[in-house]
Amino acid sequence: MDKYLVSIITPTHNSAKFVEKTISGILAQTYSNWELLITDDCSTDDTCAILESFVNLDSRIKLFKLDKNAGAGVARNHSIENAQGRFIAFCDSDDLWYPEKLEKQIQFMLDKDTALTYTNYEEIDEKGQFLRKVYAPDKVYYKQMLKVDYVGFSTAIYDVKLLGKIYMNPQRKRQDWILLLTILKKTDFGHGLLETLVSYRIRENSISSNKILLYQYIWRVYRDSQEFSRLKSGYYLFLYTFSYFKKRFRSKIS
């Protein structure tokens, strides 16, 4: 199974506080045939020094640097352009993978012959303290995904052999959701591996925790990337709100 190269895409921007643990989790993978492509988006802290130490440690880790700050989507696209793997996986610079994440998920993709997979995940705070578990659906379809983003992006992997390379929308926020919507337009559905294999970090003042900003960017997803009318965008924004709180309620009682 290890004969298939997995390209791991990680953008960084002032990520010095967490990125060492993120990369250590990738180095600990039981699946060894991977390359980690990190594109730094003009960090002003010690991020690049930390990254360069890992590049010197392991030849599978490759570092690219943008000339100007352009956002996570552009940074991810630069890494995707340079990716050589059959599979493209995503891991944000503050999230943590369980050691068996790639091994289990790649085998699952090969067994199911599926183009897009994702897993359950747990949310942790900035100190690494457990907050809640988030359970992914067994399958997710395009119209279902319009209602709420069911997929934790650091759990997602897609198969380049089946889909070709799919790139990020240049929108600065929620471009991860747009990418998943684009993939789901090209395939019947995404398939969930219903095990918890990722720790997703909730950071203070992040887009995930700032609900006003979150809804502004959700509106732009519907209006700009999906080209929906105002009426249709409003309809899906209502559905998103309902589905979002339903999802959060389920995660709290589980």
Side-chain angles (χ1 to χ4, degrees):
M1 182 182 68
D2 280 25
K3 68 179 181 179
Y4 298 111
L5 179 65
V6 180
S7 297
I8 305 165
I9 309 300
T10 298
T12 57
H13 177 71
N14 293 342
S15 307
K17 186 175 180 180
F18 302 112
V19 72
E20 185 173 353
K21 289 184 178 179
T22 297
I23 297 175
S24 295
I26 293 171
L27 288 169
Q29 290 298 300
T30 56
Y31 187 102
S32 61
N33 192 10
W34 52 261
E35 59 175 358
L36 173 58
L37 300 104
I38 305 170
T39 297
D40 184 73
D41 192 21
C42 297
S43 292
T44 57
D45 63 0
D46 294 332
T47 297
C48 286
I50 295 170
L51 297 178
E52 286 165 359
S53 69
F54 278 105
V55 169
N56 293 329
L57 177 69
D58 195 309
S59 62
R60 295 173 296 178
I61 302 174
K62 303 168 185 177
L63 174 61
F64 309 95
K65 299 177 183 179
L66 297 183
D67 294 329
K68 61 180 180 179
N69 180 264
V74 174
R76 289 189 182 109
N77 281 344
H78 189 82
S79 291
I80 293 171
E81 287 174 6
N82 289 278
Q84 300 296 315
R86 170 176 170 175
F87 297 97
I88 290 185
F90 298 92
C91 186
D92 285 348
S93 61
D94 53 359
D95 294 339
L96 306 173
W97 280 3
Y98 287 28
E100 66 275 17
K101 197 260 189 193
L102 283 183
E103 180 181 0
K104 288 187 174 183
Q105 201 165 351
I106 297 303
Q107 187 62 60
F108 180 78
M109 295 184 79
L110 295 172
D111 290 344
K112 299 293 185 181
D113 192 28
T114 189
L116 171 67
T117 63
Y118 47 88
T119 74
N120 298 342
Y121 60 94
E122 64 178 9
E123 291 182 350
I124 58 175
D125 64 16
E126 292 195 11
K127 296 180 180 179
Q129 297 298 309
F130 172 82
L131 296 175
R132 64 183 64 85
K133 281 192 176 183
V134 179
Y135 296 92
D138 177 52
K139 294 180 180 178
V140 66
Y141 301 84
Y142 171 73
K143 287 187 177 181
Q144 181 186 10
M145 194 72 163
L146 283 171
K147 298 176 184 178
V148 70
D149 184 358
Y150 286 96
V151 176
F153 199 59
S154 287
T155 78
I157 301 179
Y158 74 82
D159 189 339
V160 175
K161 180 180 178 181
L162 297 179
L163 294 170
K165 283 188 177 181
I166 311 293
Y167 290 89
M168 311 292 296
N169 185 286
Q171 178 173 309
R172 277 189 173 261
K173 303 294 183 181
R174 301 319 315 266
Q175 79 286 143
D176 48 358
W177 184 27
I178 296 171
L179 177 80
L180 295 170
L181 288 169
T182 301
I183 291 174
L184 289 171
K185 286 181 178 179
K186 293 177 173 287
T187 189
D188 292 335
F189 55 84
H191 210 147
L193 171 58
L194 306 184
E195 295 185 38
T196 301
L197 296 174
V198 173
S199 296
Y200 176 80
R201 196 180 303 274
I202 302 297
R203 297 173 64 179
E204 189 176 351
N205 298 322
S206 70
I207 185 66
S208 301
S209 61
N210 189 320
K211 298 300 183 289
I212 294 176
L213 277 177
L214 177 65
Y215 277 91
Q216 289 176 352
Y217 283 111
I218 291 169
W219 177 259
R220 287 186 59 190
V221 170
Y222 294 136
R223 288 288 288 151
D224 298 341
S225 74
Q226 305 304 301
E227 299 182 339
F228 289 171
S229 67
R230 288 182 179 273
L231 181 62
K232 190 173 183 179
S233 296
Y235 169 73
Y236 274 104
L237 189 62
F238 170 79
L239 291 179
Y240 186 101
T241 303
F242 176 79
S243 299
Y244 175 84
F245 284 106
K246 181 179 178 181
K247 175 184 173 184
R248 306 309 291 179
F249 178 75
R250 285 181 58 199
S251 68
K252 286 181 180 180
I253 64 175
S254 299

